[in-house]
Amino acid sequence: MRSEGTERGYLLVRPYFLLLFMAAIALPLNLGQGLRVSAADTVQVTPSTQQPGDFTNPRLLYNLNAHPGRVKSLAFSPNSQILVSGGAYNDGIIRLWNPRTGKRVGTINKAQKNTVESLVISPDGQTLASSGSDNIINLWNLKSNQFTRSFVGHTTSVTSLAVSADGKVLVSGALDGIRVWDLLQQRPLGTLVRFDNRIDTLAMSSDGQTLASGDTKGVIKLWDLSTGKLIRSFNAHSGAVTDITFAPDGQNLISCSSDRTIKIWNLPSEQLTRTLTGHNNWVNAIALNRDGKTLASAGRDGIKLWDLSTGELLNTLIGHSDWVSAIAFSPDGQILASGGFDGKVNIWGNPSITSRK
Protein backbone atom coordinates (compact mmCIF):
# COMPACT_ATOMS: atom_id res chain seq x y z
CA MET A 1 0.00 0.00 0.00
CA ARG A 2 1.46 3.32 -1.03
CA SER A 3 0.87 6.41 0.99
CA GLU A 4 0.24 9.57 -0.98
CA GLY A 5 0.93 12.02 1.79
CA THR A 6 -1.72 14.22 3.38
CA GLU A 7 -4.72 16.04 2.09
CA ARG A 8 -6.51 18.90 3.75
CA GLY A 9 -9.92 18.24 5.16
CA TYR A 10 -11.95 19.72 7.94
CA LEU A 11 -14.62 18.84 10.43
CA LEU A 12 -16.86 21.31 12.16
CA VAL A 13 -17.17 18.97 15.12
CA ARG A 14 -17.57 19.85 18.74
CA PRO A 15 -16.68 17.37 21.48
CA TYR A 16 -19.46 15.02 22.46
CA PHE A 17 -20.69 15.58 26.02
CA LEU A 18 -23.88 13.60 25.87
CA LEU A 19 -23.94 9.90 26.66
CA LEU A 20 -26.24 7.57 24.80
CA PHE A 21 -28.65 5.80 27.18
CA MET A 22 -29.34 2.51 25.53
CA ALA A 23 -32.52 0.56 25.93
CA ALA A 24 -33.56 -2.76 24.52
CA ILE A 25 -36.60 -2.37 22.31
CA ALA A 26 -39.01 -4.57 20.48
CA LEU A 27 -40.30 -3.30 17.15
CA PRO A 28 -44.11 -3.17 17.32
CA LEU A 29 -46.45 -3.68 14.41
CA ASN A 30 -47.78 -0.12 14.61
CA LEU A 31 -44.92 1.71 12.97
CA GLY A 32 -46.28 5.24 12.97
CA GLN A 33 -46.53 8.00 10.41
CA GLY A 34 -45.51 7.07 6.90
CA LEU A 35 -45.49 3.36 7.66
CA ARG A 36 -48.12 0.77 6.83
CA VAL A 37 -48.61 -2.64 8.44
CA SER A 38 -51.27 -5.25 7.90
CA ALA A 39 -51.68 -8.30 10.08
CA ALA A 40 -52.63 -10.22 6.95
CA ASP A 41 -49.56 -9.08 5.05
CA THR A 42 -47.64 -12.11 3.83
CA VAL A 43 -44.75 -12.87 1.54
CA GLN A 44 -44.16 -15.63 -0.92
CA VAL A 45 -41.85 -18.27 0.45
CA THR A 46 -40.27 -20.72 -1.97
CA PRO A 47 -39.24 -24.07 -0.46
CA SER A 48 -35.54 -24.83 -0.78
CA THR A 49 -33.99 -27.91 -2.27
CA GLN A 50 -30.60 -27.18 -0.70
CA GLN A 51 -29.27 -29.29 2.14
CA PRO A 52 -29.05 -27.94 5.71
CA GLY A 53 -25.70 -26.77 6.94
CA ASP A 54 -23.70 -23.92 8.39
CA PHE A 55 -22.28 -21.03 6.39
CA THR A 56 -19.96 -23.36 4.57
CA ASN A 57 -23.13 -24.83 3.06
CA PRO A 58 -26.18 -22.82 4.20
CA ARG A 59 -29.73 -23.50 3.15
CA LEU A 60 -32.01 -21.08 1.35
CA LEU A 61 -34.76 -20.60 3.93
CA TYR A 62 -36.97 -17.92 2.37
CA ASN A 63 -37.33 -16.32 -1.05
CA LEU A 64 -39.25 -13.08 -0.48
CA ASN A 65 -41.04 -10.83 -2.95
CA ALA A 66 -39.54 -7.62 -1.62
CA HIS A 67 -39.52 -4.84 -4.22
CA PRO A 68 -40.71 -4.19 -7.78
CA GLY A 69 -37.13 -3.47 -8.84
CA ARG A 70 -33.57 -3.91 -7.67
CA VAL A 71 -32.93 -4.38 -3.95
CA LYS A 72 -30.34 -1.70 -3.32
CA SER A 73 -29.60 -2.02 0.40
CA LEU A 74 -30.02 -4.39 3.36
CA ALA A 75 -29.46 -3.87 7.09
CA PHE A 76 -30.12 -5.88 10.25
CA SER A 77 -31.16 -4.56 13.65
CA PRO A 78 -28.52 -5.11 16.35
CA ASN A 79 -30.56 -7.95 17.90
CA SER A 80 -30.85 -9.65 14.46
CA GLN A 81 -34.65 -9.76 14.77
CA ILE A 82 -35.45 -7.24 12.03
CA LEU A 83 -34.12 -7.01 8.47
CA VAL A 84 -34.75 -3.87 6.43
CA SER A 85 -34.55 -3.68 2.65
CA GLY A 86 -34.55 -0.68 0.32
CA GLY A 87 -35.72 -0.59 -3.28
CA ALA A 88 -34.49 1.20 -6.37
CA TYR A 89 -35.97 2.40 -9.69
CA ASN A 90 -38.41 4.97 -8.28
CA ASP A 91 -39.54 2.49 -5.63
CA GLY A 92 -38.56 4.60 -2.61
CA ILE A 93 -39.87 1.92 -0.27
CA ILE A 94 -38.33 0.37 2.82
CA ARG A 95 -39.68 -2.97 3.94
CA LEU A 96 -39.14 -4.55 7.37
CA TRP A 97 -38.93 -8.33 7.75
CA ASN A 98 -38.71 -10.94 10.46
CA PRO A 99 -35.83 -13.01 9.03
CA ARG A 100 -36.64 -16.05 11.17
CA THR A 101 -40.21 -16.37 9.89
CA GLY A 102 -39.95 -14.74 6.46
CA LYS A 103 -42.88 -12.47 7.32
CA ARG A 104 -43.10 -8.81 6.42
CA VAL A 105 -43.67 -6.77 9.58
CA GLY A 106 -43.67 -3.24 8.24
CA THR A 107 -43.50 -0.94 5.24
CA ILE A 108 -42.30 2.64 4.89
CA ASN A 109 -44.06 3.65 1.70
CA LYS A 110 -42.40 7.00 1.05
CA ALA A 111 -39.01 6.59 2.61
CA GLN A 112 -37.30 8.39 -0.29
CA LYS A 113 -38.70 10.08 -3.39
CA ASN A 114 -37.19 7.46 -5.68
CA THR A 115 -34.26 5.08 -5.03
CA VAL A 116 -33.29 4.03 -1.50
CA GLU A 117 -29.52 3.99 -1.88
CA SER A 118 -28.35 3.01 1.61
CA LEU A 119 -29.70 1.89 4.99
CA VAL A 120 -28.13 1.72 8.46
CA ILE A 121 -29.57 1.09 11.92
CA SER A 122 -27.95 2.68 14.96
CA PRO A 123 -26.23 0.30 17.43
CA ASP A 124 -28.98 0.83 20.03
CA GLY A 125 -31.63 -0.21 17.51
CA GLN A 126 -33.61 3.00 17.92
CA THR A 127 -32.82 4.90 14.72
CA LEU A 128 -33.05 3.82 11.10
CA ALA A 129 -31.28 6.10 8.62
CA SER A 130 -32.04 5.95 4.92
CA SER A 131 -30.52 7.87 2.02
CA GLY A 132 -31.58 8.22 -1.57
CA SER A 133 -31.03 9.51 -5.05
CA ASP A 134 -33.16 12.50 -3.97
CA ASN A 135 -30.02 13.80 -2.14
CA ILE A 136 -31.75 13.45 1.25
CA ILE A 137 -31.05 11.44 4.41
CA ASN A 138 -34.12 10.55 6.47
CA LEU A 139 -34.18 9.39 10.08
CA TRP A 140 -36.84 7.10 11.51
CA ASN A 141 -37.27 6.52 15.25
CA LEU A 142 -37.93 2.82 15.70
CA LYS A 143 -38.81 3.26 19.37
CA SER A 144 -41.52 5.92 19.06
CA ASN A 145 -42.38 4.74 15.54
CA GLN A 146 -42.08 8.18 13.97
CA PHE A 147 -40.22 9.90 11.20
CA THR A 148 -37.94 12.26 13.09
CA ARG A 149 -36.22 14.50 10.57
CA SER A 150 -34.30 14.85 7.32
CA PHE A 151 -30.65 15.75 6.84
CA VAL A 152 -30.31 18.03 3.84
CA GLY A 153 -26.94 19.18 2.57
CA HIS A 154 -25.82 16.94 -0.24
CA THR A 155 -26.49 18.13 -3.76
CA THR A 156 -26.24 14.68 -5.36
CA SER A 157 -27.41 11.14 -4.70
CA VAL A 158 -26.32 9.93 -1.25
CA THR A 159 -24.89 6.53 -2.10
CA SER A 160 -23.55 5.31 1.24
CA LEU A 161 -24.08 5.65 4.99
CA ALA A 162 -21.97 4.51 7.95
CA VAL A 163 -22.61 4.84 11.69
CA SER A 164 -20.14 4.74 14.56
CA ALA A 165 -20.22 1.86 17.04
CA ASP A 166 -21.26 4.22 19.85
CA GLY A 167 -24.16 5.53 17.76
CA LYS A 168 -23.07 9.16 17.99
CA VAL A 169 -21.91 9.87 14.45
CA LEU A 170 -23.49 9.23 11.06
CA VAL A 171 -21.35 9.69 7.95
CA SER A 172 -22.72 10.03 4.42
CA GLY A 173 -20.96 9.76 1.07
CA ALA A 174 -22.01 11.17 -2.31
CA LEU A 175 -20.70 12.63 -5.54
CA ASP A 176 -20.17 15.94 -3.76
CA GLY A 177 -18.11 14.49 -0.92
CA ILE A 178 -18.47 13.23 2.65
CA ARG A 179 -20.59 14.83 5.36
CA VAL A 180 -20.71 14.14 9.09
CA TRP A 181 -23.85 14.29 11.26
CA ASP A 182 -24.60 14.20 14.98
CA LEU A 183 -27.01 11.29 15.29
CA LEU A 184 -27.87 11.97 18.96
CA GLN A 185 -28.83 15.62 18.56
CA GLN A 186 -29.80 15.02 14.92
CA ARG A 187 -27.89 17.94 13.46
CA PRO A 188 -25.13 18.45 10.89
CA LEU A 189 -21.56 18.57 12.13
CA GLY A 190 -19.80 19.58 8.92
CA THR A 191 -18.26 18.55 5.64
CA LEU A 192 -15.27 16.26 5.81
CA VAL A 193 -14.05 16.74 2.27
CA ARG A 194 -15.28 17.45 -1.26
CA PHE A 195 -14.39 15.17 -4.16
CA ASP A 196 -14.62 15.39 -7.91
CA ASN A 197 -15.59 11.75 -8.18
CA ARG A 198 -18.41 9.71 -6.70
CA ILE A 199 -18.09 8.09 -3.29
CA ASP A 200 -19.68 4.68 -3.72
CA THR A 201 -19.04 3.17 -0.31
CA LEU A 202 -18.06 4.01 3.28
CA ALA A 203 -17.02 1.91 6.27
CA MET A 204 -16.15 2.86 9.83
CA SER A 205 -13.73 1.04 12.11
CA SER A 206 -15.12 -0.54 15.28
CA ASP A 207 -13.49 2.13 17.47
CA GLY A 208 -15.11 4.92 15.44
CA GLN A 209 -11.77 6.60 14.81
CA THR A 210 -11.14 5.69 11.19
CA LEU A 211 -13.37 6.12 8.16
CA ALA A 212 -12.65 4.37 4.87
CA SER A 213 -14.08 5.65 1.58
CA GLY A 214 -14.06 4.05 -1.84
CA ASP A 215 -14.75 5.85 -5.11
CA THR A 216 -15.39 5.25 -8.78
CA LYS A 217 -11.72 5.71 -9.67
CA GLY A 218 -10.68 2.70 -7.59
CA VAL A 219 -9.13 4.80 -4.83
CA ILE A 220 -9.52 4.04 -1.12
CA LYS A 221 -8.89 6.79 1.42
CA LEU A 222 -8.58 6.47 5.18
CA TRP A 223 -9.66 9.39 7.36
CA ASP A 224 -9.07 10.27 11.00
CA LEU A 225 -12.53 11.28 12.17
CA SER A 226 -11.25 13.06 15.27
CA THR A 227 -9.24 15.53 13.19
CA GLY A 228 -10.86 15.30 9.75
CA LYS A 229 -7.44 14.69 8.20
CA LEU A 230 -6.53 12.20 5.50
CA ILE A 231 -4.42 9.37 6.91
CA ARG A 232 -3.65 7.54 3.70
CA SER A 233 -4.73 7.23 0.08
CA PHE A 234 -3.97 4.37 -2.30
CA ASN A 235 -5.00 3.04 -5.68
CA ALA A 236 -6.78 -0.14 -4.66
CA HIS A 237 -8.55 -1.34 -7.81
CA SER A 238 -8.54 -0.83 -11.56
CA GLY A 239 -12.31 -0.28 -11.45
CA ALA A 240 -14.79 1.37 -9.09
CA VAL A 241 -14.66 0.39 -5.42
CA THR A 242 -18.16 -1.01 -4.90
CA ASP A 243 -17.96 -1.99 -1.22
CA ILE A 244 -15.54 -1.96 1.72
CA THR A 245 -15.61 -3.34 5.25
CA PHE A 246 -13.26 -3.44 8.23
CA ALA A 247 -12.33 -6.74 9.85
CA PRO A 248 -13.41 -6.92 13.52
CA ASP A 249 -9.83 -6.45 14.75
CA GLY A 250 -9.49 -3.22 12.79
CA GLN A 251 -6.19 -4.41 11.35
CA ASN A 252 -7.51 -5.40 7.94
CA LEU A 253 -9.70 -3.74 5.36
CA ILE A 254 -11.55 -5.69 2.69
CA SER A 255 -12.64 -4.15 -0.61
CA CYS A 256 -14.39 -5.30 -3.77
CA SER A 257 -14.66 -3.76 -7.18
CA SER A 258 -16.05 -3.70 -10.68
CA ASP A 259 -12.67 -5.14 -11.68
CA ARG A 260 -14.02 -8.54 -10.47
CA THR A 261 -11.65 -8.82 -7.51
CA ILE A 262 -11.81 -8.77 -3.73
CA LYS A 263 -8.73 -7.51 -1.91
CA ILE A 264 -7.56 -7.74 1.69
CA TRP A 265 -5.35 -4.94 2.97
CA ASN A 266 -3.27 -5.04 6.15
CA LEU A 267 -3.42 -1.49 7.45
CA PRO A 268 -0.46 -1.44 9.90
CA SER A 269 1.95 -2.80 7.27
CA GLU A 270 0.27 -0.92 4.41
CA GLN A 271 0.34 -4.09 2.32
CA LEU A 272 -2.05 -5.95 0.07
CA THR A 273 -2.09 -9.40 1.66
CA ARG A 274 -4.49 -11.32 -0.59
CA THR A 275 -6.54 -11.00 -3.77
CA LEU A 276 -9.62 -13.19 -4.18
CA THR A 277 -10.68 -13.99 -7.73
CA GLY A 278 -13.59 -16.10 -8.92
CA HIS A 279 -16.44 -13.81 -9.88
CA ASN A 280 -17.07 -13.55 -13.61
CA ASN A 281 -18.19 -9.91 -13.47
CA TRP A 282 -18.56 -6.98 -11.09
CA VAL A 283 -18.44 -7.77 -7.38
CA ASN A 284 -21.34 -5.66 -6.14
CA ALA A 285 -21.11 -6.16 -2.39
CA ILE A 286 -19.32 -7.98 0.43
CA ALA A 287 -20.23 -8.90 4.00
CA LEU A 288 -18.11 -10.36 6.76
CA ASN A 289 -19.56 -12.71 9.36
CA ARG A 290 -19.07 -11.88 13.01
CA ASP A 291 -16.44 -14.62 13.33
CA GLY A 292 -14.21 -12.55 11.04
CA LYS A 293 -13.46 -15.67 9.00
CA THR A 294 -16.33 -16.14 6.55
CA LEU A 295 -16.69 -13.55 3.81
CA ALA A 296 -19.67 -13.41 1.47
CA SER A 297 -19.50 -11.64 -1.89
CA ALA A 298 -22.28 -10.86 -4.36
CA GLY A 299 -22.29 -10.58 -8.12
CA ARG A 300 -23.83 -11.65 -11.39
CA ASP A 301 -22.86 -15.25 -10.73
CA GLY A 302 -24.51 -15.49 -7.31
CA ILE A 303 -23.07 -15.40 -3.80
CA LYS A 304 -19.62 -16.74 -3.06
CA LEU A 305 -18.44 -17.74 0.41
CA TRP A 306 -14.73 -17.45 1.23
CA ASP A 307 -12.44 -18.52 4.05
CA LEU A 308 -10.81 -15.17 4.73
CA SER A 309 -7.79 -16.68 6.50
CA THR A 310 -6.82 -18.90 3.56
CA GLY A 311 -8.52 -17.24 0.60
CA GLU A 312 -10.26 -20.54 -0.22
CA LEU A 313 -13.58 -20.40 -2.09
CA LEU A 314 -15.92 -22.46 0.10
CA ASN A 315 -19.18 -22.39 -1.83
CA THR A 316 -21.29 -20.59 -4.43
CA LEU A 317 -24.96 -19.99 -3.60
CA ILE A 318 -27.48 -19.60 -6.39
CA GLY A 319 -30.88 -18.25 -5.38
CA HIS A 320 -31.55 -15.17 -7.51
CA SER A 321 -32.59 -15.08 -11.16
CA ASP A 322 -30.50 -11.96 -11.79
CA TRP A 323 -27.50 -10.10 -10.37
CA VAL A 324 -27.11 -10.14 -6.58
CA SER A 325 -26.91 -6.48 -5.62
CA ALA A 326 -26.85 -6.39 -1.81
CA ILE A 327 -25.78 -8.71 0.99
CA ALA A 328 -25.65 -8.65 4.81
CA PHE A 329 -24.86 -10.97 7.71
CA SER A 330 -26.97 -10.71 10.85
CA PRO A 331 -25.06 -9.46 13.90
CA ASP A 332 -25.51 -12.83 15.62
CA GLY A 333 -23.82 -14.53 12.67
CA GLN A 334 -26.67 -16.98 12.04
CA ILE A 335 -28.36 -15.44 8.98
CA LEU A 336 -27.19 -14.23 5.60
CA ALA A 337 -29.56 -11.98 3.62
CA SER A 338 -29.18 -11.21 -0.06
CA GLY A 339 -31.03 -8.87 -2.40
CA GLY A 340 -31.11 -8.97 -6.16
CA PHE A 341 -31.97 -7.20 -9.36
CA ASP A 342 -34.95 -9.60 -9.44
CA GLY A 343 -36.54 -7.68 -6.55
CA LYS A 344 -36.20 -10.66 -4.20
CA VAL A 345 -34.70 -10.88 -0.73
CA ASN A 346 -33.30 -14.30 0.13
CA ILE A 347 -32.69 -15.53 3.67
CA TRP A 348 -29.92 -18.12 4.12
CA GLY A 349 -28.97 -20.11 7.20
CA ASN A 350 -29.46 -23.27 9.20
CA PRO A 351 -33.13 -24.44 9.25
CA SER A 352 -33.01 -24.64 13.06
CA ILE A 353 -33.23 -20.84 13.32
CA THR A 354 -36.74 -20.80 11.86
CA SER A 355 -38.11 -22.57 14.93
CA ARG A 356 -36.91 -19.83 17.27
CA LYS A 357 -39.08 -16.90 18.30
Side-chain angles (χ1 to χ4, degrees), residues 29 34 45 60 76 78 88 95 107 109 116 166 201 205 213 234 259 262 268-269 292 299 309-310 323 330-331 334 344:
L29 290 181
V45 177
L60 177 60
F76 279 93
R95 300 203 190 280
T107 297
N109 282 311
V116 179
D166 60 9
T201 181
S205 61
S213 65
F234 54 96
D259 67 8
I262 301 162
S269 67
S309 61
T310 64
W323 290 68
S330 61
Q334 297 184 22
K344 302 295 183 69

Side-chain angles (χ1 to χ4, degrees), residues 28-37 107 144-147:
L29 290 181
N30 177 19
L31 295 175
Q33 183 179 1
L35 294 87
R36 177 183 59 79
V37 178
T107 297
S144 63
N145 307 324
Q146 297 290 326
F147 164 80

Side-chain angles (χ1 to χ4, degrees), residues 16-58:
Y16 302 106
F17 295 102
L18 295 179
L19 295 176
L20 183 62
F21 292 93
M22 297 175 137
I25 65 167
L27 186 66
L29 290 181
N30 177 19
L31 295 175
Q33 183 179 1
L35 294 87
R36 177 183 59 79
V37 178
S38 170
D41 214 1
T42 60
V43 296
Q44 177 181 337
V45 177
T46 302
S48 171
T49 59
Q50 297 192 32
Q51 297 300 312
D54 56 20
F55 275 107
T56 299
N57 184 29

